[in-house]
Amino acid sequence: MEMNWIILMIVGIAAIALIIFLMRQNQKDKKVMEKEMNYFEKPDEQEANDKDDGL
């Protein structure tokens, strides 16, 4: 039984391409998640100034 090298090479290239795609997608998702985790709402200026009026 002879191995079909062309099919084997196509499958190997496709597997490498899939791994590269998944690694890039993981990096993008990581950046988005870090951005969401570091998100916080800044207080309005009016609210910050209201706290200083009592002094």
Side-chain angles (χ1 to χ4, degrees), residues 12-31:
I13 291 170
I16 291 171
L18 178 64
I19 290 170
I20 291 171
F21 170 76
L22 291 174
M23 289 173 64
R24 286 186 178 174
Q25 189 65 35
N26 188 29
Q27 290 296 324
K28 288 179 185 177
D29 291 343
K30 184 178 177 181
K31 287 179 184 178

Side-chain angles (χ1 to χ4, degrees), residues 34-50:
E34 285 178 356
K35 189 174 183 180
E36 289 176 0
M37 296 291 279
N38 290 331
Y39 176 77
F40 62 94
E41 290 186 27
K42 295 180 181 177
D44 294 335
E45 276 190 43
Q46 186 64 29
E47 291 176 7
N49 290 337
D50 288 345

